C-alpha cells in the first residue's frame, strides 16, 4: 500500500512538477516569515523539569528574593595606587548608573554612614548576644573609656585617620563592630572595607558594584540595552580620567571596568546559541555538499542534494516558529542534526536513481523504482528515526523534549521534500534539455542529457562512489564465518571496555566556555569571598513574627554545623532584625544593668574628661555619644517596620523576608568552605533539613545539580528503551517477520556496543549531554539496517542479490559519512557538552554503518548458504 502511494507521488511529481515548485515556493515563503519570529532562551533552568519540586523551589526562591540576578561591575585598581581617585570615580559612576531606566539601584558601598547610624545605632545593643553584651559593659567602664581615648589620639595621628574619621566620630567607644559585621553579612559573603565604606577586596585591587536591573536576565533584548547603557556610562566616566589625574598632579593608570554576572551570561549565551545554529547549519550543509560532490563526481548534482534538504530545513524552522517560538541551548544544534539525518534520504533516493539509470531504464521507470521500493525504505527509516527522537518527549527535561519534538518533526519535513521535490526536479531537468543559458550551464556541470521524450539519446552516465563498501560487502557475503567471528571478538572487547566508562556530572558542561559573565563572576568569588556559592534554607510560616521565630530556631541548629566546620557562616534575617526572644533577653539585661555598667551619662562624663586630658576636643564626638545614650536607653524591641523606613535597610531586608499570597517566607543562607559542596549539599546539611521538618526546604545550585544527575540517568535509560521498543514495533509492522526485524536491529545494537568501547579507548566519558546519544544512534543506525533488509527482500530471489546489496551499501556508507559531517559541525559549538555529543554521535553513526555493511551481509550470506569460504576474487569472477 505504501509503495502504491509512493508510486502515485512519483507520477504526480513527474507530470505536475510546476505545481510542485509553486506550492513549495509558497510554503517556503511562509516558513521564512515564521522562522524570523524565533527567539532564543538562554536560561539553563528552562532546560530542566519545570514541575520538579527541587527546580520549582530553586526558581521561585530566586524570583522572590532575587539573590543571583545582578549585573556585576568590577573596577580593577592598579596595585599600590592611591585609592581616593578610584573611589571618587566609583562615586561618580554609582549615581550615573542608578539614573538609568534599566537599573533599579546600585550597591557598591555601605551607604551613607550618617543615615545608617540614625537607623541602626540606637538599636545596637538589641543585635548582640549575651557574651557580646558583657564586652559592651567592659568597654563602658571608666578604665576602658580612658584607654580608648588614648587609642583615639594615636589613631588620629596615623595616615588612615582621614578614612576612619567619619566612623570614629559616630562611634568613639568602638561599640559598632558587631553591627557593621551584620551589615557585611547582609551583602552575602562579600568583603566590605569599613574604613572606606566600599565593597573592596582585601588587597584593594578590586572594587565591586552590584547593579540591580529592572527586568530579569532572561529578557535578552532588555539585557542587550542594559549592557549598552552601562557601557556608555563607563566610557563617559573614564573619558575624564586623564584630566582628573592631572588635577591631582599624579600619574595614575586608568582602571579597567569589567561587566559580569547573570545578565552578561545570558547575553553571551544568546549570541552563542544564535552563532551555533547558523554556523552549524552552514558548515554541515557545506560539508555534506562537498561529500555529495566527491561521491557523485558531478558539480551540478549538488543542486539535487542542496535544494530538497534546504527546503526541509526551512520548513522545520518555520514549524519551530509556530509550535515553540523559542529555541534553547539543547535545540541550538538541531539544524546541523537535521542536515546530517536528512541527507540520508537524498543519498539513498538519488543513489537508487543513479543505479536505475545506469541500467539503461527510462526516467519514469527510474523514478518509480526510486520512490517505490527505495522510497518505502526511506519512509520506514524516516519513521523509525523520528520515533527515536520523539522518545525524548518522555523525559522530564523541557530542553530535551523540545529537541526531540523539533528534530522528529523536522525529519518528516526533510523526508517529504525529498520524496516530492527530488523527482519533480529530475523530471524538469529531463523535460528541458535546452532550457536556456542556465539550463546549458547545468547540463555542462552535470554532464547529463535528456529524458523520455528526447529521441535517440542514451540514458545519462552516472556514478556513485562506494568508499570501498562494495569490497566489504562482497567479502562479508562470501566469507560469513570469518567476518562474524571477527565481529564477535570486537563486540566482546568493546563490551568489556564499555564497563570502564564513568559519568562526569559537572554542571559546568551546561555552560559554554569563554563566557565573560562567568569569568567575571569567578573573579568576584576569588577576590571577595564565596559570595555566590551558598545554599538556602527556605522557612515557611503564617505570619512575619512566626517566620522570624522559626528562622531563629533554624539558625541555632545550623550554627552547630559552623562549629564543626561543615559551614563557615550562617546568615539570616536575624542579621538585620534579631528574633523577638533575643531582643527580650537584651531588654531584660539592660534593665538589670542600667545605672551601673550601662550608664550613658557616666560614660559621657568619663570620655569628656579623658579626651581633654589626651588633647582631643570631646565636642567633635557629641553626636556619637548621643547615639550611645539612645542605645543604652532603648526600651522596646526593633520591628521590621522600623528598618523598612529606610530605603537602604528595606533593600537589605528583601534579601531575607517576604510576604507571599500563601504566607511568609524567610531565607537562611548557608555558606560552605570555598570550593566545597559545589556538586551536592553536605550530608550533614541534608540530615539537618530532615530533622527540621516539612516547613523548611533546602535549595541551591548544588541541590539542583544533584537532582539533575538523578533525572538524567533515569531519563536516558527510559528514552533509550522507549526508542528501541518503538523502532522494533514499527519494523515488525513493516516486515511482519521477526527474523527480518532482528536483522534490522542488529546494526544499531552491536554498533552502540562498539561506540561505547571506542569512547573508552578515546577517553570520552558520559556527561549530561552525550548520555542521550544512545537514543539518537538508535534513530541513526536503524536506517542502515532497514535499507539493507529492504534490498535483500527485494533482490532475494533474483540473480543480482550481491550487486543490489553492494549498491545499497554505497548509499549507506555515504549516508553515514554525511551524518558524521552533520554531527561534526557540533564540534564547533560553544557548549562542551554539545561538542562531546557530536563526537559520540559520529562514532555511533560510523559503527552502525560498518556493522550494516559487514555483519549483515555476512548473516545474509550464511542464510543463503555461503558457508564455504571462497577467495573474494573468485566471487568477483563468478559475478562477471
Amino acid at each position: 500500500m505504501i509503495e502504491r502511494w509512493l508510486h502515485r507521488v512519483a507520477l504526480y511529481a513527474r507530470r505536475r512538477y510546476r505545481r510542485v515548485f509553486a506550492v513549495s515556493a509558497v510554503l517556503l515563503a511562509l516558513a521564512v516569515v515564521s522562522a524570523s519570529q524565533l527567539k532564543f532562551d538562554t536560561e539553563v533552568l528552562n532546560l530542566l523539569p519545570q514541575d520538579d519540586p527541587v527546580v520549582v523551589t530553586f526558581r521561585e526562591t530566586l524570583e522572590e528574593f532575587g539573590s543571583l540576578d545582578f549585573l556585576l561591575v568590577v573596577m580593577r585598581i592598579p596595585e599600590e595606587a592611591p585609592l581616593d581617585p578610584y573611589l571618587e570615580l566609583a562615586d561618580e559612576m554609582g549615581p550615573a548608573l542608578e539614573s538609568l531606566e534599566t537599573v533599579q539601584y546600585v550597591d557598591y558601598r555601605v551607604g551613607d554612614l550618617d543615615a545608617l547610624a540614625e537607623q541602626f545605632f540606637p538599636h545596637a545593643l538589641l543585635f548582640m548576644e549575651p557574651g557580646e553584651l558583657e564586652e559592651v559593659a567592659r568597654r563602658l567602664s571608666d578604665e576602658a573609656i580612658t584607654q580608648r581615648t588614648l587609642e583615639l589620639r594615636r589613631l588620629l595621628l596615623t595616615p588612615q585617620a582621614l578614612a576612619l574619621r567619619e566612623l570614629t566620630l559616630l562611634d568613639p567607644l568602638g561599640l559598632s563592630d558587631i553591627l557593621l559585621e551584620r551589615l557585611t553579612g547582609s551583602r552575602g559573603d562579600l568583603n566590605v572595607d569599613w574604613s572606606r565604606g566600599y565593597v573592596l577586596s582585601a588587597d584593594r585591587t578590586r572594587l565591586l558594584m552590584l547593579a540591580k536591573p529592572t527586568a530579569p536576565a532572561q529578557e535578552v533584548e532588555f539585557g542587550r540595552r542594559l549592557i549598552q547603557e552601562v557601557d556608555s556610562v563607563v566610557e563617559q566616566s573614564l573619558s575624564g580620567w586623564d584630566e582628573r589625574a592631572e588635577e591631582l598632579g599624579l600619574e595614575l593608570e586608568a582602571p579597567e571596568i569589567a561587566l559580569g554576572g547573570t545578565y552578561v551570561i545570558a547575553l553571551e549565551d544568546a549570541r552563542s546559541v544564535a552563532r551555533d545554529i547558523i554556523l552549524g547549519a552552514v558548515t554541515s550543509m557545506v560539508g555534506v555538499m562537498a561529500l555529495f560532490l566527491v561521491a557523485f563526481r558531478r558539480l551540478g548534482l549538488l543542486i539535487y542534494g542542496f535544494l530538497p534538504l534546504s527546503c526541509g530545513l526551512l520548513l522545520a524552522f518555520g514549524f519551530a516558529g509556530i509550535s515553540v517560538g523559542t529555541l534553547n541551548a539543547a535545540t541550538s544544534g538541531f539544524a546541523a542534526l537535521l542536515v546530517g539525518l536528512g541527507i540520508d534520504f537524498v543519498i539513498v533516493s538519488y543513489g537508487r536513481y543513479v543505479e536505475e539509470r545506469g541500467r539503461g531504464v527510462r526516467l519514469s521507470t527510474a523514478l518509480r523504482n526510486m520512490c517505490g521500493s527505495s522510497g518505502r525504505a526511506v519512509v520506514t527509516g524516516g519513521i523509525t528515526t523520528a520515533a527515536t527522537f520523539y522518545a525524548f518527549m518522555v523525559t522530564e527535561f523541557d530542553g530535551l523534549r523540545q529537541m526531540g519534538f523539533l528534530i522528529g518533526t523536522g525529519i518528516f519535513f526533510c523526508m517529504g521534500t525529498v520524496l516530492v521535490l527530488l523527482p519533480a526536479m529530475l523530471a524538469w531537468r529531463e523535460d528541458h534539455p535546452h532550457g536556456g543559458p542556465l539550463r546549458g550551464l547545468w547540463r555542462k556541470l552535470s554532464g547529463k542529457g535528456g529524458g523520455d521524450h528526447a529521441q535517440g539519446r542514451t540514458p545519462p552516465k552516472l556514478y556513485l562512489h562506494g568508499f570501498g563498501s562494495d569490497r566489504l560487502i562482497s567479502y562479508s557475503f562470501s566469507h560469513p564465518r570469518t567476518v562474524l567471528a571477527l565481529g564477535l571478538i570486537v563486540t566482546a572487547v568493546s563490551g568489556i571496555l564499555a564497563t570502564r566508562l564513568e559519568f562526569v556530572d559537572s554542571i559546568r558542561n551546561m555552560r559554554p566556555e569563554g563566557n565573560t559573565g562567568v569569568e567575571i563572576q569567578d573573579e568576584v568569588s576569588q577576590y571577595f569571598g564565596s559570595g555566590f556559592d551558598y545554599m538556602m534554607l527556605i522557612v515557611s510560616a503564617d505570619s512575619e513574627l512566626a517566620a522570624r521565630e522559626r528562622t531563629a530556631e533554624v539558625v541555632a541548629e545550623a550554627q552547630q554545623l559552623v562549629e564543626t566546620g561543615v559551614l563557615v557562616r550562617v546568615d539570616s534575617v536575624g542579621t538585620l532584625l534579631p528574633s523577638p526572644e533575643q531582643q527580650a533577653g537584651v531588654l531584660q539585661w539592660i534593665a538589670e544593668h542600667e545605672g551601673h555598667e550601662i550608664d550613658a551619662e557616666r560614660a559621657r562624663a568619663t570620655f569628656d574628661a579623658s579626651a581633654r586630658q589626651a588633647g582631643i576636643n570631646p565636642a567633635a564626638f557629641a553626636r556619637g555619644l548621643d547615639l550611645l545614650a539612645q542605645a543604652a536607653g532603648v526600651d522596646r524591641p526593633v520591628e521590621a517596620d522600623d528598618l523598612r523606613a529606610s530605603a537602604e535597610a528595606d533593600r537589605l531586608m528583601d534579601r531575607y523576608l517576604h510576604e507571599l499570597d500563601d504566607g511568609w517566607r524567610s531565607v537562611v543562607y548557608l555558606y560552605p568552605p570555598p570550593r566545597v559542596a559545589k556538586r551536592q549539599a553536605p550530608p550533614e546539611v541534608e540530615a539537618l533539613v530532615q530533622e527540621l521538618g516539612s516547613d523548611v526546604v533546602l535549595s541551591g545550585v548544588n541541590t539542583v545539580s544533584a537532582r539533575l544527575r538523578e533525572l538524567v540517568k533515569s531519563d536516558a535509560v527510559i528514552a533509550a528503551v522507549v526508542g528501541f521498543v518503538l523502532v522494533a514495533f514499527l519494523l515488525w509492522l513493516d516486515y511482519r517477520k521477526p527474523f527480518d526485524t532482528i536483522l534490522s536491529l542488529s546494526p544499531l545494537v552491536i554498533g552502540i556496543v562498539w561506540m561505547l568501547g571506542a569512547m573508552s579507548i578515546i577517553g570520552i566519558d558520559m556527561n549530561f549531554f552525550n548520555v542521550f546519544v544512545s537514543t539518537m544512534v538508535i534513530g541513526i543506525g536503524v536506517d542502515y539496517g532497514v535499507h539493507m533488509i529492504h534490498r535483500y527482500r527485494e533482490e532475494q530471489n533474483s540473480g543480482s542479490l550481491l550487486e543490489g546489496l553492494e549498491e545499497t551499501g554505497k548509499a549507506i556508507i555515504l549516508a553515514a559519512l554525511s551524518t558524521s559531517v552533520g554531527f561534526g559541525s557540533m564540534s564547533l559549538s560553544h557548549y562542551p557538552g554539545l561538542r562531546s555529543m557530536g563526537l559520540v554521535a559520529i562514532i555511533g553513526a560510523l559503527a552502525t554503518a560498518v556493522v550494516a555493511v559487514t555483519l549483515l551481509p555476512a548473516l545474509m550470506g550464511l542464510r543463503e548458504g555461503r558457508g564455504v569460504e571462497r577467495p573474494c576474487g573468485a566471487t568477483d569472477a563468478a559475478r562477471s
Side-chain angles (χ1 to χ4, degrees):
M1 180 177 178
I2 293 179
E3 289 191 23
R4 288 199 302 270
W5 181 83
L6 292 172
H7 288 157
R8 292 177 182 176
V9 171
L11 183 61
Y12 184 87
R14 170 72 183 91
R15 297 176 177 175
R16 300 285 187 269
Y17 48 77
R18 291 183 179 86
R19 186 174 298 175
V20 171
F21 295 153
V23 172
S24 299
V26 172
L27 291 177
L28 290 176
L30 295 175
V32 170
V33 173
S34 176
S36 65
Q37 305 301 314
L38 279 171
K39 298 180 179 179
F40 304 114
D41 183 5
T42 63
E43 177 53 59
V44 172
L45 287 178
N46 289 340
L47 302 177
L48 308 182
Q50 298 304 297
D51 55 354
D52 185 83
V54 175
V55 178
V56 170
T57 299
F58 183 69
R59 179 187 290 276
E60 289 181 349
T61 302
L62 292 184
E63 290 175 353
E64 293 164 5
F65 294 90
S67 302
L68 299 178
D69 235 6
F70 285 97
L71 175 66
L72 306 180
V73 182
V74 177
M75 180 186 296
R76 298 178 180 134
I77 302 173
E79 294 183 4
E80 300 182 359
L83 276 179
D84 286 336
Y86 300 93
L87 300 183
E88 291 175 3
L89 178 64
D91 287 334
E92 178 183 320
M93 286 177 52
L97 292 174
E98 280 194 340
S99 67
L100 299 176
E101 294 183 358
T102 53
V103 176
Q104 182 178 347
Y105 63 84
V106 179
D107 195 0
Y108 65 100
R109 58 182 302 178
V110 68
D112 183 64
L113 280 179
D114 288 344
L116 287 174
E118 294 289 349
Q119 191 74 28
F120 287 99
F121 280 20
H123 312 287
L125 297 183
L126 296 175
F127 288 87
M128 300 184 181
E129 302 289 344
E132 296 164 346
L133 290 173
E134 296 299 330
E135 175 63 17
V136 169
R138 188 195 67 79
R139 293 190 185 187
L140 290 180
S141 66
D142 292 341
E143 180 181 357
I145 292 174
T146 301
Q147 184 64 31
R148 173 63 177 172
T149 56
L150 296 177
E151 293 176 3
L152 284 176
R153 186 176 185 277
R154 286 195 299 270
L155 182 62
L156 293 174
L157 295 176
T158 63
Q160 293 83 17
L162 184 61
L164 298 172
R165 177 180 176 82
E166 186 177 3
L167 180 60
T168 304
L169 294 179
L170 292 173
D171 181 30
L173 299 184
L175 302 180
S176 60
D177 298 350
I178 302 300
L179 176 62
L180 295 182
E181 287 301 321
R182 290 179 180 273
L183 292 178
T184 304
S186 68
R187 283 165 171 75
D189 202 29
L190 299 175
N191 298 322
V192 177
D193 187 335
W194 288 105
S195 67
R196 296 286 187 165
Y198 294 83
V199 184
L200 280 168
S201 62
D203 62 359
R204 297 193 174 188
T205 63
R206 297 294 187 279
L207 184 147
L208 177 63
M209 308 178 79
L210 298 172
K212 180 66 174 177
T214 56
Q218 293 75 31
E219 296 185 13
V220 176
E221 289 304 320
F222 169 83
R224 185 174 288 109
R225 182 161 62 95
L226 168 69
I227 300 302
Q228 290 175 349
E229 292 181 359
V230 172
D231 282 340
S232 177
V233 170
V234 171
E235 182 179 357
Q236 184 176 357
S237 299
L238 291 177
S239 63
W241 181 260
D242 292 338
E243 183 179 347
R244 185 193 306 269
E246 185 177 348
E247 291 178 356
L248 295 173
L250 299 173
E251 293 185 3
L252 295 175
E253 182 181 347
E256 297 179 12
I257 308 294
L259 306 183
T262 53
Y263 291 85
V264 178
I265 292 173
L267 187 58
E268 294 203 6
D269 277 1
R271 293 170 181 163
S272 297
V273 170
R275 176 187 177 277
D276 286 353
I277 290 176
I278 296 173
L279 186 62
V282 172
T283 55
S284 59
M285 182 68 78
V286 171
V288 165
M289 290 300 102
L291 188 61
F292 202 83
L293 176 62
V294 172
F296 291 101
R297 296 185 178 179
R298 288 291 187 274
L299 183 61
L301 297 184
L302 293 180
I303 198 71
Y304 296 126
F306 178 78
L307 276 184
L309 192 56
S310 298
C311 292
L313 276 179
L314 281 177
L315 291 175
F317 272 106
F319 176 78
I322 296 174
S323 59
V324 297
T326 302
L327 299 181
N328 54 50
T331 53
S332 63
F334 99 99
L337 294 177
L338 281 180
V339 170
L341 296 169
I343 195 64
D344 291 5
F345 305 136
V346 178
I347 291 171
V348 172
S349 299
Y350 191 71
R352 184 59 183 269
Y353 173 79
V354 169
E355 179 185 347
E356 294 296 327
R357 296 294 274 172
R359 292 177 178 177
V361 302
R362 294 165 61 86
L363 173 66
S364 298
T365 304
L367 293 180
R368 176 183 174 87
N369 291 338
M370 181 186 77
C371 293
S373 56
S374 290
R376 180 178 177 181
V378 167
V379 171
T380 301
I383 292 175
T384 53
T385 301
T388 57
F389 280 96
Y390 283 140
F392 283 110
M393 298 182 68
V394 304
T395 69
E396 297 281 346
F397 293 84
D398 284 20
L400 288 176
R401 284 205 299 267
Q402 186 186 97
M403 182 191 74
F405 175 66
L406 291 180
I407 295 179
T409 307
I411 287 171
F412 285 121
F413 282 117
C414 292
M415 182 179 68
T417 55
V418 170
L419 292 175
V420 177
L421 199 54
L422 181 59
M425 293 172 62
L426 292 170
W428 183 88
R429 187 197 64 80
E430 295 288 348
D431 287 353
H432 296 77
H434 305 291
L438 181 61
R439 173 63 186 149
L441 176 61
W442 190 356
R443 290 185 62 215
K444 289 180 181 179
L445 290 172
S446 61
K448 294 186 178 182
D452 293 345
H453 305 293
Q455 299 296 327
R457 284 202 310 271
T458 59
K461 184 178 180 180
L462 302 175
Y463 177 82
L464 173 58
H465 200 304
F467 298 96
S469 61
D470 50 349
R471 295 179 178 273
L472 280 175
I473 292 174
S474 177
Y475 184 88
S476 300
F477 190 80
S478 303
H479 304 76
R481 289 186 174 86
T482 301
V483 173
L484 291 175
L486 290 174
L488 181 62
I489 294 173
V490 173
T491 304
V493 172
S494 297
I496 295 172
L497 292 174
T499 60
R500 302 178 182 177
L501 288 174
E502 297 181 357
F503 188 87
V504 178
D505 50 13
S506 173
I507 195 68
R508 294 188 71 89
N509 284 344
M510 299 287 282
R511 286 288 185 195
E513 296 176 337
N515 189 303
T516 306
V518 175
E519 293 173 352
I520 296 302
Q521 189 165 289
D522 291 343
E523 181 179 340
V524 169
S525 296
Q526 176 185 351
Y527 280 88
F528 293 89
S530 55
F532 301 98
D533 298 328
Y534 55 77
M535 297 164 283
M536 297 173 286
L537 293 177
I538 297 92
V539 180
S540 301
D542 296 330
S543 65
E544 178 189 342
L545 182 60
R548 289 170 52 198
E549 291 176 342
R550 181 59 171 148
T551 298
E553 297 172 359
V554 171
V555 169
E557 295 292 333
Q559 196 65 35
Q560 298 178 15
L561 299 182
V562 176
E563 297 172 0
T564 59
V566 176
L567 303 174
V568 295
R569 197 165 66 83
V570 177
D571 184 24
S572 72
V573 67
T575 301
L576 294 177
L577 187 62
S579 67
E581 181 180 1
Q582 177 182 340
Q583 293 193 63
V586 172
L587 290 174
Q588 182 178 353
W589 184 89
I590 292 176
E592 293 173 355
H593 294 77
E594 189 174 6
H596 303 285
E597 292 92 340
I598 306 300
D599 188 342
E601 291 301 322
R602 177 187 55 80
R604 179 189 291 269
T606 303
F607 180 85
D608 287 351
S610 300
R612 290 190 183 93
Q613 187 175 358
I616 299 174
N617 181 11
F621 301 90
R623 189 177 175 208
L625 294 173
D626 290 340
L627 293 174
L628 172 63
Q630 294 180 41
V634 64
D635 57 358
R636 69 173 183 85
V638 61
E639 301 293 343
D641 291 341
D642 297 327
L643 299 182
R644 290 191 182 276
S646 163
E648 173 78 11
D650 188 46
R651 286 207 303 262
L652 298 178
M653 286 289 292
D654 282 342
R655 175 177 163 83
Y656 303 103
L657 196 63
H658 268 257
E659 182 180 11
L660 305 178
D661 294 337
D662 60 343
W664 285 79
R665 297 286 188 279
S666 175
V667 174
V668 178
Y669 297 91
L670 309 178
Y671 292 90
R675 294 177 293 278
V676 175
K678 285 181 175 291
R679 294 176 64 250
Q680 65 183 36
E684 296 86 349
V685 174
E686 294 180 343
L688 172 64
V689 175
Q690 293 295 325
E691 296 174 2
L692 290 173
S694 59
D695 61 336
V696 180
V697 179
L698 177 66
S699 188
V701 174
N702 50 11
T703 60
V704 174
S705 178
R707 179 60 176 161
L708 183 61
R709 288 192 295 273
E710 296 176 9
L711 293 175
V712 162
K713 293 177 182 178
S714 62
D715 282 4
V717 174
I718 292 173
V721 171
V722 170
F724 187 85
V725 171
L726 280 175
V727 166
F729 176 71
L730 291 171
L731 290 178
W732 180 82
L733 287 179
D734 184 34
Y735 299 137
R736 299 291 181 175
K737 290 184 178 180
F739 184 77
D740 289 351
T741 301
I742 294 173
L743 280 181
S744 280
L745 293 173
S746 60
L748 69 91
V749 174
I750 298 173
I752 288 175
V753 176
W754 289 12
M755 176 191 76
L756 297 175
M759 289 175 60
S760 179
I761 294 174
I762 297 175
I764 303 175
D765 288 316
M766 289 289 187
N767 57 43
F768 286 128
F769 280 80
N770 64 33
V771 72
F772 290 96
V773 170
S774 296
T775 305
M776 297 171 59
V777 171
I778 292 174
I780 298 169
V782 72
D783 288 2
Y784 308 145
V786 166
H787 294 309
M788 290 295 286
I789 296 302
H790 269 278
R791 194 58 184 267
Y792 174 74
R793 287 160 65 98
E794 181 183 348
E795 305 283 358
Q796 186 175 10
N797 298 321
S798 69
S800 57
L801 173 59
L802 184 55
E803 289 84 348
L805 292 179
E806 289 175 352
E807 291 300 324
T808 300
K810 292 179 181 179
I812 288 174
I813 291 299
L814 181 56
L817 292 175
S818 63
T819 298
S820 300
V821 171
F823 279 98
S825 66
M826 295 176 65
S827 64
L828 303 176
S829 172
H830 283 71
Y831 292 84
L834 285 179
R835 290 202 297 269
S836 70
M837 190 176 181
L839 182 57
V840 172
I842 290 173
I843 298 173
L846 295 177
T848 51
V850 170
V851 174
V853 299
T854 55
L855 299 188
L856 264 187
L859 290 171
M860 294 172 183
L862 197 63
R863 189 179 186 184
E864 293 295 314
R866 300 299 180 99
V868 179
E869 305 286 355
R870 293 183 297 172
C872 185
T875 304
D876 295 339
R879 291 206 325 269
S880 61

